[in-house]
Amino acid sequence: MTADDPTATRGPVHIVGTGLLGTSIGLALTARGVPVTLADTSPSMLALARDLGAGTIESAPAPELVVVAVPPDVTSDEVAAALQRFPDAVVTDVASVKSVLLAELRIEARTDPTLDLSRYVGSHPMAGREKSGAAAASADMFTGRPWVIAAHSGSAERAVLAVRALAADAGAAVVSMDAGEHDEAVALISHVPQLMASLMAAQLVEAPDRALALAGQGVRDVTRIAASDPRLWSAILTGNAPAVSALLRTIRAELDTLLDAVERAASDGPLAPGAVSGISRLISAGNDGVARVPGKHGGARRRYTEVIVLVPDEPGELGRLFSEVGEIGVNIEDFQMEHSPKQKVGMAIVSVTPEAAQPLEQALEQRGWRVVAP
Amino acid sequence: MTADDPTATRGPVHIVGTGLLGTSIGLALTARGVPVTLADTSPSMLALARDLGAGTIESAPAPELVVVAVPPDVTSDEVAAALQRFPDAVVTDVASVKSVLLAELRIEARTDPTLDLSRYVGSHPMAGREKSGAAAASADMFTGRPWVIAAHSGSAERAVLAVRALAADAGAAVVSMDAGEHDEAVALISHVPQLMASLMAAQLVEAPDRALALAGQGVRDVTRIAASDPRLWSAILTGNAPAVSALLRTIRAELDTLLDAVERAASDGPLAPGAVSGISRLISAGNDGVARVPGKHGGARRRYTEVIVLVPDEPGELGRLFSEVGEIGVNIEDFQMEHSPKQKVGMAIVSVTPEAAQPLEQALEQRGWRVVAP
């Protein structure tokens, strides 16, 4: 990175909001030598981010770029304030919703002509964790993740380049979308899955312990993200309400069709007309949908073959397995551990390229491992 | 195991149906020295199970126990046939639904008094895979998994003991429930999660590639089990329709409440009255529900602390990590790999007991690993 490289952030970069994302961006830029200043309404959060090495808290008189990393419901106010306070700076935000922010800013610009939206480009790094706050931040949070750059029709080219450079400097894969395309995409692959996980998990609140004791990996996976923060998610979901409600209405219609089929079976028995076909149609559509979800490296998940190995539940055994897979010369594309309560043997589900699967199984068996799939 | 041990299966055991479960039970019993005979309507499936070592295909004139392992919609017919054909044998089945089978058998027994239901005890091993068929079978499939024994009011004690012995011999953890309790439990922790995953995945069928390219681990987890077999699941869901429809009606009511909140935000903006509170209530209920899902060893998942380590995407690197965790002397309680398209560094999420987390992080950092959580 040199001062002449137009594709790199020169700085100083001013970050407003030192939560998980703001602090992580500060850490990533600082690690690349970009000067970063930090601001937060909470002095203790601010001090924590500084102590973690995310930047300094001296005020920057003329930042090149301002990154607004506050909750979605206060983002447009902070973007407008930054545009006014720093008349030469490019301003971006990292909120999970984009259309509502742009609409709010455009309304404000109509009543206040000094608000220069050509310097604003919204963005959204597709990274995060169930934990929040600076303490969970990491310079590597964006490495290889998509980072959506959502320029609007009035964005200046220099502003778009500056935000693309920010995403690239943080190690992310830049994706260009307008605000509407972004919001529909995240409704589908993030916001509605969150709600489906929460709807399912909410049914478990009053469940008998004996029922929960039968839980396997399926319900664990379906409900995992239900552990997310209610305050943050309320702001995200109200901010993306048009796209989310359109999808929820479709799901409600499909749920009604499903419920009709299940209730036929409940009242007239398993072979009631329309019962099996109604349920089977939904499960088949689910088969088709899940096959389209990309796995690692952008491929569909079916590109990989699973090799299932039994692993004793003792320190070092998983390590021995992975070492030996490495010695055999096979790369692990994905990995999952499956087990149940009281189990003393786990199933290590190792995904590898199809051509590597059979040689790996044979080599592992020769080394004494118990491979489950024949 | 001796002939005098009343808690062990003596055999011969006759298995009707050599799919995934029937073949796995045959493999498990054969491994313990119990003589097993096999039957299937498909000669090629039967030959495959025999060749895999699940048992012989000679007919047993007087089996001690008959295990009916056929699809749920034909299970009661096969149970009745086995009770008639083998007048001294205990008969069990392994279907995922129990009440409907018992009801069908009781109706049949009312018209045919020779049908001796005292020798029938339903059961359900809580194990399985997304793949089906004998080729995916394994002697270890039931190791440590719950196996529900659903005796009915007329079951003979000898029959209950024989089926408990079968589950124990297969390595499972025996759980006693009546058919109604079982069906409500599996509706909650298996059947309805399956439908929620399918409903979500069905929305992805027509999704733009560019939207799917933003998918992260969240939507992957929520939709993973949507890859299940439509024929099998239609039979399971129609067979457990009363319990499933009751839960689905509750979910539809909660979805309506949620949709009302989201639509308020869609029409009147993110701060519309009732929008944030309606969404926040659901997300909070989901927090409470997911916290009750047991993790490994039967404990709630929060018993463990996550240590997140960056691992280069190269052969042997995961192995090195696990070896070193073993050398440090820490047992891995759970493990997950997180990554996104194009990423060349993965995040290994290692769950350990809370007291082991900080020493492990320090020891890994001393060895040069990059630990993400501070």
Side-chain angles (χ1 to χ4, degrees), chain A residues 135 176 210 221 224 249 263 374, chain B residues 135 176 221 224 249 263 374:
Chain A
S176 297
R210 282 164 56 83
D221 283 354
R224 182 180 65 81
R249 274 193 296 270
E263 284 182 336
Chain B
S176 296
D221 282 354
R224 182 180 63 82
R249 274 194 295 269
E263 285 183 334

Side-chain angles (χ1 to χ4, degrees), chain A residues 330-351:
Chain A
V330 170
N331 194 16
I332 295 174
E333 301 295 340
D334 204 348
F335 177 80
Q336 212 185 332
M337 195 71 203
E338 203 169 292
H339 38 56
S340 268
K342 302 184 198 167
Q343 192 165 346
K344 285 293 168 195
V345 173
M347 293 206 300
I349 305 176
V350 178
S351 294

Side-chain angles (χ1 to χ4, degrees), chain A residues 46-62:
Chain A
L46 185 57
L48 174 59
R50 178 200 58 198
D51 294 349
L52 291 171
T56 63
I57 56 184
E58 290 81 52
S59 64

Side-chain angles (χ1 to χ4, degrees), chain B residues 193-219:
Chain B
Q194 172 66 48
L195 289 171
M196 296 298 275
S198 295
L199 270 171
M200 183 62 236
Q203 310 311 312
L204 305 175
V205 176
E206 306 284 342
D209 286 341
R210 281 166 56 84
L212 289 168
L214 302 183
Q217 198 57 41
V219 67

